[in-house]
Amino acid sequence: TMMPTDSAMVTTNKVDEDIDLNGVALKGYRGGMEDSMISFLKSGGYTNAADDAALKDTWYTFDKVNFKMGSSTELEAGSQVQLDNLVAILKAYPDAKIKVGGYTDKVGDEANNVKLSTARANYIKSALEKAGVGAQVIGAEGYGSKFATVAATASDAERAIDRKMAVRFAK
């Protein structure tokens, strides 16, 4: 049996804290998605970004939004809280726009991986539209395993880091 890696240990030790969104407390991880996005917005980072190129390399990975294996329409329990938090952040900063990205691990047919990750990104986009912030979501894209870092031969648990959903600010 393998010892868990450091990153796996960090994940299990994450504890929800109150993240301050202009006086409203959101439940999230210190240094997690909400915390990082709000800090960037509060610092004027979005307002001061000259154009989309200045924003395109900084992605915020969902800590809790996960799809059921092989599904692009069923979220794991606990995912909705973070989607709701993202909606709250966008409503608090109506000028901010985002793009959604979907990613898979290196296992399986790449065409299918791209299709699955695209469908997942579009699912998140439509969930945000239904929540009333659709005008702020200007794109959704699936990248398949293009940015995956863990070998296909690694264990399922090790490859989990590559199976993710993320957002970035956009202009």
Side-chain angles (χ1 to χ4, degrees):
T1 55
M2 277 187 54
M3 286 296 292
T5 60
D6 285 345
S7 62
M9 295 291 285
V10 171
T11 308
T12 52
N13 293 336
K14 283 185 172 173
V15 179
D16 271 335
E17 296 182 33
D18 285 344
I19 307 297
D20 175 56
L21 174 63
N22 304 337
V24 178
L26 302 181
K27 287 289 178 199
Y29 300 141
R30 181 73 46 217
M33 181 188 189
E34 294 90 342
D35 194 15
S36 302
M37 290 182 81
I38 293 167
S39 295
F40 181 72
L41 289 163
K42 282 183 179 173
S43 74
Y46 182 79
T47 311
N48 298 331
D51 54 18
D52 194 61
L55 298 164
K56 73 178 178 65
D57 293 329
T58 306
W59 287 85
Y60 301 86
T61 301
F62 284 100
D63 306 292
K64 302 172 185 173
V65 174
N66 294 294
F67 285 87
K68 292 190 174 168
M69 190 63 84
S71 171
S72 61
T73 55
E74 282 186 285
L75 292 172
E76 294 280 7
S79 299
Q80 193 59 45
V81 173
Q82 192 155 44
L83 276 177
D84 292 344
N85 284 351
L86 177 57
V87 169
I89 292 168
L90 291 174
K91 284 184 172 171
Y93 291 90
D95 293 338
K97 294 184 169 47
I98 61 164
K99 285 188 174 173
V100 183
Y103 306 83
T104 68
D105 61 24
K106 292 186 178 183
V107 173
D109 176 68
E110 186 58 14
N112 286 339
N113 283 342
V114 170
K115 196 173 158 187
L116 181 66
S117 58
T118 301
R120 287 175 169 176
N122 282 321
Y123 179 87
I124 299 285
K125 182 174 185 272
S126 66
L128 294 170
E129 284 166 357
K130 285 178 190 141
V133 292
Q136 291 172 260
V137 187
I138 60 173
E141 194 166 350
Y143 299 99
S145 69
K146 183 178 175 183
F147 298 102
T149 56
V150 183
T153 51
S155 73
D156 186 62
E158 289 171 308
R159 293 192 319 271
I161 195 168
D162 287 331
R163 298 191 297 269
K164 63 188 180 188
M165 301 303 299
V167 298
R168 74 167 175 89
F169 287 111
K171 284 202 170 177

